[in-house]
Amino acid sequence: MNIKCGNYRIQYELELNWQIDILEKEKTFDRVELAKRIAAARKAEKESNQAIGSQLSWEGLVAPLPGSHQPVHDLFNTDSDELDMENQDQLVDQLPDIKRFVHVDLAAGRPSVEYLKEFFKVLKDIGASGIFLEWEQTFPYGGEISFLSSPERSYSRSELDEILKSAQENKLEVIPLIDVCTNAEFATKHKSELKISPTCFMDFHPLSEDTNKFVRTLLSEILQAHPLSSWIHIGCGLFKSISRNILAKEIHARNTTTTGVYLDYIEDVGKTIKVLAPNVRALVWDDTLRNVNNEVLIGHKAPDYFDVVIKNERFGGYLDARATLKLLNFHGKIFEGIWIATSFKCGQDVLDPLPDVKRNAAQAEELFQAAKNAPEYANIIGFVLTGKSRYTHFAAMCSLLPISLPSLVTSFKTTIRRAFTTSVLWESSRELGFQGQIPTVNRPRPQAVVPGNFPGSEIWRSTQLLENVKGKIHSFLEGPNYNSFFNKHLVKTGRVSYFRLETIVKELKSLTSELKNIKDTLVVELLKIYNDHVVNEWIVEQIQKEEKQLEEKTSATSNYLAKMNKEL
């Protein structure tokens, strides 16, 4: 159906409104149905509490101290006769019925189409079921929302077709992800009527008719571009504006609650998706849903339209297996399908270019154990390895996709093999062509750099070398070498050693040269995958600080050394 112009657009709007009106009539339950739902909620809560009080399958191996949390990987005896973790023939999929998807966030650090094709081949080789493609402003929007796209940030329509075709050729199911609740800055910065207030525009206004109209158009374009997709992820994690009571007056005027506003909003979005694509199921993050009373949740129509995705990570920390299992019990009796997500990319430090391989694999292990112990009624459809490219639209970029591949493959293998072991690390290392084991710890620096052979491996190698030289720079400037022999007090009192200062200047120039050489190599490799806009942003975020520090210190020491030479 053409919805972009003329009479077809009017006809589409009339048909859509008519179908939504029909669905709206289903919103109010009769008393019998509502009573059944509430009874089911109470029963689920009781069973959940019983399950949480019981011992999980791995906890009998070692009895942890009361009140303490022991990482799952410390609870396994890898010398057990049950499974020799060093025997590759025994490393089979421990949860074969669960799909495994990889989240590719294109919102920032948008890679070239050619690189994505190579990346998809890697995903096929490791056994991925599909990908979540998060578009945000990189989608080639048209018609009345074409203002969301820009030549330097968005793919073209032909490039979009190439990406989807490549995914299909590699037998990867594509699930589009477009947030229609939170992380809305990419749209609200263009359209003031979508904002909640002039200073609060991180969320779409959930009570605005302008928002409803915009979201319908947005979803229509995304769904039409992905005709083979069975799901669409609409985000809707933490509605910050609602939780902070920014809409308190409007909510009170409508005689409802913050929870009611959220559930009504996502229900309306679910109805829109059902009208636009009847065979497509919507997905939402569970950040807000996990805090809703289960009787309220079951008593509402919204869960009928969605599957839920449990986030294993939140605010830099992560849920252990027991906390994730609790959510599986909670959501299992309410939602038809459940997904569990864990991160393979950004860490606690937004600007850290290297993902923490060990930490991410440990999270994946916790996710696996929760799924292994989940009750039968919790229909777990898939795992999702999330790779956000930035925390919000106005935040700096996180680690780039090529740099994150070792972490991705290691975490992926962990979700298959049940535990993060030496065998999993070696298997992942061989998969990516490493001559040794993938480094699992990023600090301290410098470290030995082990070469790999995978798409973008030279970027990974150059970034490792960059982190080494940055470590040497910080150690030299912040340690005793510089400050102990050249500082303002020593200059003021005339107690600067010519010999020491000469040595400091030589070291500063050596570090400057080393940093420049690595930067030049890294830029060349980055430009093979990214456009100038992405490369410039990455260089500013990752290198400019150290460049400026070296420039200032070299200038100060060189000038003072020249002054001392004149006085000799």
Side-chain angles (χ1 to χ4, degrees):
M1 180 185 295
N2 184 357
I3 63 169
K4 292 185 179 179
C5 59
N7 295 331
Y8 291 103
R9 179 73 190 179
I10 297 173
Q11 180 182 352
Y12 165 77
E13 291 286 353
L14 290 173
E15 183 178 339
L16 180 62
N17 291 334
W18 174 70
Q19 293 183 66
I20 289 178
D21 286 341
I22 294 176
L23 289 171
E24 192 69 32
K25 295 177 181 178
E26 303 174 5
K27 191 167 184 175
T28 304
F29 300 118
D30 59 46
R31 293 184 178 182
V32 175
E33 182 181 0
L34 183 58
K36 289 180 179 178
R37 283 175 173 254
I38 292 176
R42 290 173 177 167
K43 182 179 179 182
E45 178 69 15
K46 183 177 180 181
E47 292 180 1
S48 175
N49 291 335
Q50 291 174 348
I52 297 306
S54 62
Q55 186 181 64
L56 303 184
S57 64
W58 70 87
E59 292 180 329
L61 298 173
V62 176
L65 295 174
S68 68
H69 169 64
Q70 192 170 359
V72 173
H73 57 270
D74 292 338
L75 301 175
F76 281 97
N77 177 8
T78 55
D79 296 327
S80 169
D81 294 334
E82 177 186 353
L83 180 66
D84 179 8
M85 300 307 289
E86 297 300 324
N87 187 341
Q88 295 297 317
D89 293 335
Q90 295 184 46
L91 293 179
V92 296
D93 192 344
Q94 301 290 308
L95 293 173
D97 296 330
I98 294 180
K99 299 175 182 288
R100 290 171 177 84
F101 278 69
V102 174
H103 168 224
V104 184
D105 187 357
L106 303 173
R110 186 205 77 174
S112 67
V113 175
E114 291 305 314
Y115 181 78
L116 286 176
K117 290 179 179 178
E118 295 181 49
F119 177 70
F120 291 163
K121 291 178 182 177
V122 173
L123 297 186
K124 177 185 177 182
D125 290 341
I126 64 176
S129 307
I131 50 176
F132 282 71
L133 285 182
E134 184 166 1
W135 292 104
E136 202 186 88
Q137 62 184 352
T138 58
F139 187 86
Y141 301 101
E144 60 191 73
I145 58 173
S146 59
F147 62 86
L148 295 174
S149 303
S150 61
E152 69 274 9
R153 297 181 184 274
S154 305
Y155 293 103
S156 66
R157 181 64 65 168
S158 60
E159 286 177 324
L160 168 65
D161 293 338
E162 275 191 80
I163 292 171
L164 297 180
K165 180 181 178 183
S166 176
Q168 186 178 5
E169 289 172 349
N170 286 284
K171 298 181 180 179
L172 298 172
E173 183 175 0
V174 176
I175 298 178
L177 195 164
I178 186 76
D179 204 323
V180 299
C181 297
T182 59
N183 298 318
E185 297 98 329
F186 78 101
T188 55
K189 69 181 182 181
H190 296 288
K191 289 273 190 180
S192 59
E193 59 268 29
L194 302 177
K195 298 179 182 179
I196 291 172
S197 72
T199 58
C200 178
F201 48 91
M202 67 285 239
D203 301 330
F204 286 111
H205 197 312
L207 301 175
S208 168
E209 184 54 39
D210 289 322
T211 296
N212 294 335
K213 183 179 178 182
F214 174 82
V215 168
R216 289 179 195 175
T217 306
L218 189 71
L219 289 172
S220 176
E221 289 221 15
I222 296 294
L223 288 168
Q224 285 189 67
H226 300 81
L228 301 179
S229 298
S230 301
W231 290 275
I232 180 172
H233 197 319
I234 61 165
C236 295
L238 284 175
F239 232 130
K240 304 177 189 71
S241 56
I242 294 180
S243 62
R244 295 174 186 174
N245 292 322
I246 297 175
L247 289 171
K249 290 184 179 179
E250 292 184 61
I251 292 173
H252 180 73
R254 292 174 180 247
N255 194 29
T256 183
T257 63
T258 55
T259 299
V261 169
Y262 174 78
L263 293 176
D264 288 345
Y265 178 78
I266 64 172
E267 179 191 343
D268 290 339
V269 174
K271 289 176 178 178
T272 300
I273 293 171
K274 187 174 181 180
V275 170
L276 293 171
N279 296 323
V280 175
R281 183 80 173 167
L283 305 174
V284 294
W285 298 119
D286 84 314
D287 302 52
T288 298
L289 293 170
R290 69 177 63 167
N291 297 317
V292 178
N293 181 279
N294 62 349
E295 290 190 14
V296 172
L297 198 54
I298 287 187
H300 201 280
K301 193 75 173 177
D304 292 351
Y305 294 95
F306 298 98
D307 289 341
V308 67
V309 186
I310 297 173
K311 275 189 179 180
N312 182 260
E313 183 180 32
R314 191 174 178 186
F315 302 132
Y318 68 93
L319 303 177
D320 61 13
R322 182 174 288 279
T324 305
L325 180 59
K326 184 175 181 179
L327 290 173
L328 286 170
N329 280 274
F330 176 77
H331 295 314
K333 287 286 184 71
I334 300 174
F335 294 93
E336 289 185 15
I338 300 177
W339 302 64
I340 319 177
T342 188
S343 175
F344 72 86
K345 211 158 176 263
C346 298
Q348 293 174 304
D349 183 354
V350 178
L351 285 177
D352 196 341
L354 295 170
D356 190 329
V357 175
K358 186 175 182 180
R359 176 178 179 272
N360 291 338
Q363 287 180 231
E365 185 175 329
E366 299 278 353
L367 172 148
F368 177 97
Q369 294 299 336
K372 186 75 173 177
N373 287 273
E376 291 185 6
Y377 60 76
N379 178 27
I380 302 176
I381 297 175
F383 294 149
V384 186
L385 296 180
T386 60
K388 56 192 172 190
S389 59
R390 61 188 174 201
Y391 279 84
T392 70
H393 183 74
F394 292 120
M397 287 193 296
C398 298
S399 42
L400 298 173
L401 191 56
I403 301 171
S404 306
L405 256 177
S407 176
L408 164 60
V409 173
T410 305
S411 295
F412 190 96
K413 295 290 184 182
T414 301
T415 69
I416 295 175
R417 312 306 190 204
R418 100 175 176 181
F420 177 45
T421 63
T422 303
S423 289
V424 166
L425 192 58
W426 273 116
E427 185 183 6
S428 303
S429 301
R430 284 193 292 270
E431 190 83 49
L432 296 175
F434 278 94
Q435 297 175 11
Q437 280 190 350
I438 294 171
T440 59
V441 180
N442 297 332
R443 300 287 184 272
R445 287 287 174 178
Q447 294 181 8
V449 177
V450 183
N453 183 21
F454 55 90
S457 58
E458 281 304 308
I459 294 178
W460 181 88
R461 177 178 171 275
S462 295
T463 303
Q464 292 278 346
L465 294 173
L466 175 63
E467 289 301 291
N468 280 349
V469 71
K470 285 165 67 174
K472 288 193 285 185
I473 291 170
H474 292 302
S475 177
F476 183 75
L477 295 181
E478 298 165 10
N481 295 309
Y482 183 88
N483 290 318
S484 294
F485 299 103
F486 187 79
N487 57 49
K488 290 181 179 180
H489 181 73
L490 292 174
V491 170
K492 184 177 180 180
T493 57
R495 295 190 296 113
V496 176
S497 165
Y498 181 91
F499 169 74
R500 291 289 186 182
L501 187 58
E502 190 178 40
T503 304
I504 288 173
V505 170
K506 287 181 180 178
E507 182 63 20
L508 287 172
K509 289 182 177 179
S510 175
L511 290 171
T512 300
S513 176
E514 187 176 356
L515 180 63
K516 182 181 183 303
N517 291 337
I518 294 173
K519 174 186 174 181
D520 292 344
T521 302
L522 181 58
V523 168
V524 170
E525 295 300 325
L526 286 170
L527 287 172
K528 294 177 181 178
I529 297 176
Y530 300 99
N531 61 24
D532 292 340
H533 179 84
V534 173
V535 175
N536 290 336
E537 182 178 349
W538 184 254
I539 294 301
V540 167
E541 292 172 357
Q542 298 298 329
I543 301 179
Q544 194 174 72
K545 175 186 173 183
E546 285 72 23
E547 281 185 323
K548 188 175 181 180
Q549 284 179 324
L550 286 175
E551 183 181 352
E552 291 175 351
K553 303 299 184 184
T554 303
S555 176
T557 52
S558 296
N559 290 340
Y560 198 83
L561 186 63
K563 177 184 175 183
M564 294 181 75
N565 278 322
K566 289 180 181 180
E567 295 173 352
L568 290 177

